Amino acid sequence: MKQPVLEIKNLNVDYGLGDNAVHAVREVHLTLHKGEVLGLAGESGSGKSTLAYGLTRLLPPPGIVAGGQVLYHAPSGDVVDVLRLSDSELRAFRWSEVSIVFQGAMNSLNPVHKVSTQLMDVIKAHEPGLSRDARLARARELLKLVGISADRLDSYPHQLSGGMRQRVMIGMALALEPQVVIMDEPTTALDVVMQRQILRQLVDLRERLGFSVIFITHDLSLLVEFSDRIAIMYGGRIVEEAEAHEIYRNPLHPYSEGLLRSFPALRGPKREVKGIAGSPPDLRSMPSGCSFHPRCPRAFEPCPDVLPILGPPDGYTLDTRTVACHLHPATIAVGAKEPVG
Ligand code: ATP
Ligand code: SF4
């Protein structure tokens, strides 16, 4: 039985207020289960980072959560409504329950402090009672965990390679043994081999330590390789969510298919690599109906007028696969209690 660790319900995030608001995340429902890697894919501007910042309440102004719920299931069995936590509760919650590795995180290490100091500071902030020796031992352990030898504790960030700095950041994110780690394009600044090495290691650690991961990238090939499930975003909405291998073998949404065709086949027969025609929508003037319709090679009569409902297509349930496309009409909408119609 899969246990939810994070439930996002009908989350809406805007930049700005009133008529000028840009709706960057719309009606997002997502469930992350214990021990699962959930990949979030979509072109630049589809709302992936906004979703991650929204759910952890780290949105830069003028970003605001305009509605929805984020429920965190603590190991104790308590359910925490993240959007209602006070500032001090939120500080305790981040790092220890949910931690985040941001885009370009490897450049956010403080250049004037040794690696040991930075790791120990994170531990100290949350466990002030721990002795210096205990913190140092923990920092050493963390480095080992992410594949860096303990003699690097005395290094300054500039003495480490990009890959090592990124590993340190991942070690830091794991310092307080969180249940959930959110990785926003964690490895894009690294070469492909290093990216894969680090992600492989993270997935191995997840199996050993039992945390769950939300992994954000525009590179669907990485997601297919490392995720259990994948959610695809377009124009701020989830347009398809399924097991990674199902998305890879049989994408149902034409946008998912387009994203998959944008990189070479991982295995099996070679196929033509082809980008998606046109550009992502302008969130200030979204196309009517299905927002993908101006770019969709399979658009038909209802597409420009009617917004497709996200829900399970024929043969699937809400828990197994959802898609928002008139080619695969849903029998029930995600988040709804009653079947469509
Ligand atoms: P990328 O892969 O480039 O990071 P993304 O899918 O993570 O893209 P977001 O960064 O979440 O997308 O951006 C979603 C949309 O929100 C973008 O279209 C952008 O125009 C808008 N947006 C982001 N930050 C702001 C801001 N500070 N003010 C107004 N709009 C913003
Ligand atoms: Fe294409 Fe229509 Fe499906 Fe949108 S609803 S993806 S336009 S076929």
Side-chain angles (χ1 to χ4, degrees):
M1 210 27 203
K2 292 200 293 185
Q3 294 197 0
V5 59
L6 204 60
E7 287 181 276
I8 301 166
K9 295 186 171 187
N10 203 18
L11 192 70
N12 286 275
V13 181
D14 292 348
Y15 288 103
L17 292 169
D19 292 346
N20 292 325
V22 172
H23 306 299
V25 166
R26 295 165 176 232
E27 296 168 14
V28 164
H29 293 264
L30 264 185
T31 301
L32 176 70
H33 295 99
K34 209 168 163 37
E36 177 178 70
V37 179
L38 174 68
L40 210 53
E43 292 164 296
S44 186
S46 56
K48 307 179 296 296
S49 303
T50 303
L51 175 58
Y53 296 140
L55 76 92
T56 47
R57 293 182 42 199
L58 284 167
L59 282 169
I64 47 160
V65 174
Q69 254 190 331
V70 178
L71 301 179
Y72 169 72
H73 295 252
S76 62
D78 290 349
V79 180
V80 177
D81 187 342
V82 179
L83 301 182
R84 288 174 183 270
L85 290 177
S86 67
D87 287 351
S88 62
E89 287 169 335
L90 194 60
R91 274 195 297 278
F93 175 78
R94 285 198 210 114
W95 292 97
S96 52
E97 310 292 338
V98 174
S99 67
I100 311 182
V101 181
F102 292 113
Q103 284 185 33
M106 62 190 200
N107 299 322
S108 57
L109 284 169
N110 190 329
V112 300
H113 291 301
K114 288 178 181 172
V115 165
S116 53
T117 313
Q118 302 194 47
L119 283 169
M120 286 161 69
D121 280 354
V122 172
I123 300 165
K124 189 178 177 182
H126 290 262
E127 287 183 51
L130 220 56
S131 71
R132 193 181 179 281
D133 283 354
R135 278 185 276 128
L136 188 61
R138 201 65 167 270
R140 188 173 292 125
E141 230 172 74
L142 283 167
L143 276 196
K144 242 170 73 192
L145 205 62
V146 293
I148 300 180
S149 107
D151 57 16
R152 291 297 191 161
L153 274 175
D154 284 332
S155 302
Y156 288 91
H158 74 268
Q159 295 170 316
L160 305 179
S161 66
M164 277 193 198
R165 289 204 301 271
Q166 192 60 313
R167 283 168 201 264
V168 171
M169 290 308 296
I170 293 173
M172 226 179 243
L174 298 176
L176 303 172
E177 299 174 7
Q179 292 275 308
V180 178
V181 181
I182 300 178
M183 319 267 298
D184 185 5
E185 305 267 10
T187 56
T188 32
L190 305 171
D191 70 64
V192 182
V193 176
M194 183 60 73
Q195 280 192 24
R196 287 197 147 67
Q197 256 183 30
I198 292 184
L199 292 171
R200 171 58 47 215
Q201 193 168 26
L202 185 82
V203 171
D204 290 348
L205 283 176
R206 176 272 308 228
E207 273 162 19
R208 261 172 55 202
L209 305 179
F211 56 86
S212 314
V213 182
I214 296 183
F215 175 28
I216 300 174
T217 173
H218 60 272
D219 186 341
L220 195 48
S221 68
L222 279 181
L223 286 193
V224 167
E225 211 173 319
F226 294 105
S227 313
D228 302 306
R229 295 182 66 76
I230 294 179
I232 311 262
M233 287 189 81
Y234 188 77
R237 291 180 185 274
I238 306 275
V239 295
E240 181 162 9
E241 194 204 334
E243 301 263 336
H245 67 93
E246 283 200 292
I247 296 251
Y248 181 67
R249 279 203 218 112
N250 177 28
L252 294 182
H253 198 286
Y255 179 61
S256 314
E257 198 179 337
L259 282 182
L260 277 166
R261 286 197 170 280
S262 321
F263 68 86
L266 292 174
R267 48 189 100 81
K270 279 205 168 131
R271 61 169 187 228
E272 191 190 354
V273 176
K274 211 165 73 180
I276 305 171
S279 337
D282 174 358
L283 296 183
R284 289 185 189 280
S285 56
M286 286 290 274
S288 58
C290 169
S291 58
F292 187 56
H293 85 261
R295 305 170 74 188
C296 181
R298 304 178 66 188
F300 62 117
E301 184 253 328
C303 303
D305 300 317
V306 185
L307 179 71
I309 292 167
L310 177 69
D314 205 19
Y316 290 92
T317 62
L318 279 169
D319 294 334
T320 55
R321 183 168 208 175
T322 54
V323 60
C325 172
H326 293 304
L327 293 169
H328 309 280
T331 46
I332 181 170
V334 169
K337 298 204 170 44
E338 302 291 329
V340 176

